[in-house]
Amino acid sequence: MINFNVPPFTGNELKYIKDCIDNQKICGDGGYTKKCNEWFENRMKAHKCLLTTSCTHATELAALLANIQPGDEVIMPAYTFVSTADAFVLRGAKPVFVDIRPDTMNIDEKLIEQAITDKTRAIVPVHYAGVACEMDTIMAIAKKHNLLVIEDAAQGVMAKYKGQALGTIGDMGCYSFHETKNYSMGEGGALLMRDEKYVEEAEIIREKGTDRSKFYRGQVDKYTWVNYGSSYLPSDMNAAYLYAQLEMADEINDARLDIWNTYKEGLTPLADAGKIELPFVPAECKHNAHMFYIKASDIKERTALINYLKENEILSVFHYIPLHTSPAGKKFGEFRGEDRYTTKESERLTRLPLYYGLTKQQNEYIIDKILDFYR
């Protein structure tokens, strides 16, 4: 069976985890956490990066830093994972969903402004499949209306928009290192901050509301409880697992791009024949091969395709159920404007296996079986 995903493993993960154990430092903010933070700050040119226990927690931390209050509204696409909305619902805010673009599956930047009210506090663009939203337009809208931009770049590590790393364009950005992502620590994430003004408060909230980070830097002689907070620190063993992959980040990225390009080349004849649609990457975007998807004609054809691939030992999956159609989405959120594409396009999309270690033979076998299905 060709799995949909296999978590990345490069070879040094166990060595680095053992190093944590040998040095008796396995809790949060150890040496490997600091190495990962510095790697992202240097590579992504972020002002500050803080590893978290998940991208969900990174987004929750961003919502706290943004001072989101009950009754506030936050604009986002409905075609996203639940965490995008959950982080703001927990603050008592209303997620306001707008339609997506059918070409990139990202939020339609042309529909954002008409969804803004005097209660709107932030825009949350989701960079689906590691392909950037139209950030120039979104940032201009945010500036015009004095709104924060919090990037959900869970799928966007190593991807860029006009040469700038995703997650570093808005006020804050959130990464995921879940086992399904390009780089993994099992469960984990990171919060990236553009401005100095958020850093001290972020460190305090992330450390249970204490100024412990200042204590470790020698800025205070003891630490104490100074604000509300929670425990958003991952174990240093998780960070050690991640750091082994960051050392090979370009190799992993190149391998994924090779797989993505093989899919694109092999399936283009089907797309040219009008049988399927393939991912679209705008010229100003540099994607990270987070996923390769195809769009069938409708949900019935997609179901048949997924079943056919499974019969041939290939696991493909679909996502997401649009949030505004879910029980919680109806309870906590609101869709503004017309759902022209969100539901229709989500019902057509199928993700194909793509992971570091997928062989050329497996890659070509999957393509052959898709061609067989459409014959």
Side-chain angles (χ1 to χ4, degrees), residues 108-135:
D108 189 334
E109 67 280 358
K110 298 186 297 297
L111 301 177
I112 292 173
E113 196 158 21
Q114 64 194 49
I116 294 172
T117 70
D118 59 2
K119 296 179 180 179
T120 307
R121 295 292 174 265
I123 304 168
V124 185
V126 179
H127 303 299
Y128 184 71
V131 175
C133 298
E134 177 41 60
M135 291 304 294

Side-chain angles (χ1 to χ4, degrees), residues 8-18 20 31-33 35-36 39-40 51 182-185 236-252 356:
F9 185 83
T10 63
N12 278 332
E13 287 87 349
L14 295 178
K15 174 185 172 183
Y16 293 165
I17 290 170
K18 184 177 184 299
C20 291
Y32 285 99
T33 302
K35 286 182 179 181
C36 290
W39 191 94
F40 286 109
L51 282 196
N182 296 28
Y183 310 95
S184 175
M185 51 196 284
D236 211 47
M237 292 190 292
N238 293 66
Y241 191 99
L242 175 63
Y243 189 69
Q245 292 156 50
L246 298 183
E247 289 182 316
M248 296 178 60
D250 290 311
E251 180 178 324
I252 293 171
Y356 180 63

Side-chain angles (χ1 to χ4, degrees), residues 168-183:
T168 69
I169 303 167
D171 297 276
M172 290 171 269
C174 306
Y175 284 163
S176 173
F177 306 113
H178 184 264
E179 71 167 35
T180 58
K181 299 302 188 291
N182 296 28
Y183 310 95

Side-chain angles (χ1 to χ4, degrees), residues 297-328:
S297 60
D298 54 32
I299 191 170
K300 182 179 178 181
E301 182 177 289
R302 180 184 73 178
T303 301
L305 173 60
I306 290 173
N307 290 337
Y308 180 80
L309 293 176
K310 189 174 182 180
E311 290 167 5
N312 285 277
E313 304 289 305
I314 301 165
L315 290 181
S316 62
V317 302
F318 65 85
H319 69 186
Y320 310 96
I321 304 300
L323 296 187
H324 69 293
T325 66
S326 68

Side-chain angles (χ1 to χ4, degrees), residues 103-289:
D103 57 355
T104 61
M105 304 296 286
N106 286 331
I107 191 169
D108 189 334
E109 67 280 358
K110 298 186 297 297
L111 301 177
I112 292 173
E113 196 158 21
Q114 64 194 49
I116 294 172
T117 70
D118 59 2
K119 296 179 180 179
T120 307
R121 295 292 174 265
I123 304 168
V124 185
V126 179
H127 303 299
Y128 184 71
V131 175
C133 298
E134 177 41 60
M135 291 304 294
D136 281 354
T137 302
I138 292 170
M139 295 303 294
I141 292 170
K143 183 177 181 180
K144 177 181 176 181
H145 295 275
N146 195 28
L147 304 175
L148 291 173
V149 174
I150 300 170
E151 293 176 76
D152 184 334
Q155 300 176 358
V157 180
M158 295 285 281
K160 295 181 178 181
Y161 172 80
K162 295 187 175 180
Q164 190 168 355
L166 302 190
T168 69
I169 303 167
D171 297 276
M172 290 171 269
C174 306
Y175 284 163
S176 173
F177 306 113
H178 184 264
E179 71 167 35
T180 58
K181 299 302 188 291
N182 296 28
Y183 310 95
S184 175
M185 51 196 284
E187 292 279 0
L191 177 68
L192 280 67
M193 289 160 279
R194 190 181 66 192
D195 299 321
E196 173 69 28
K197 64 182 179 180
Y198 295 114
V199 175
E200 183 175 339
E201 187 179 1
E203 289 181 336
I204 289 169
I205 294 172
R206 179 173 170 268
E207 264 280 21
K208 302 102 175 161
T210 73
D211 56 357
R212 192 179 186 191
S213 294
K214 282 187 172 182
F215 172 72
Y216 280 139
R217 288 194 294 266
Q219 294 172 291
V220 294
D221 58 3
K222 59 182 179 293
Y223 71 87
T224 187
W225 185 24
V226 295
N227 198 355
Y228 56 75
S230 190
S231 184
Y232 293 130
L233 281 69
S235 162
D236 211 47
M237 292 190 292
N238 293 66
Y241 191 99
L242 175 63
Y243 189 69
Q245 292 156 50
L246 298 183
E247 289 182 316
M248 296 178 60
D250 290 311
E251 180 178 324
I252 293 171
N253 193 57
D254 289 345
R256 295 183 69 102
L257 285 167
D258 283 345
I259 296 166
W260 195 97
N261 288 329
T262 299
Y263 276 136
K264 181 75 180 291
E265 182 180 353
L267 295 173
T268 290
L270 273 184
D272 290 344
K275 299 287 188 181
I276 61 173
E277 288 184 27
L278 300 179
F280 171 70
V281 181
E284 64 272 18
C285 301
K286 182 178 180 181
H287 73 99
N288 62 353

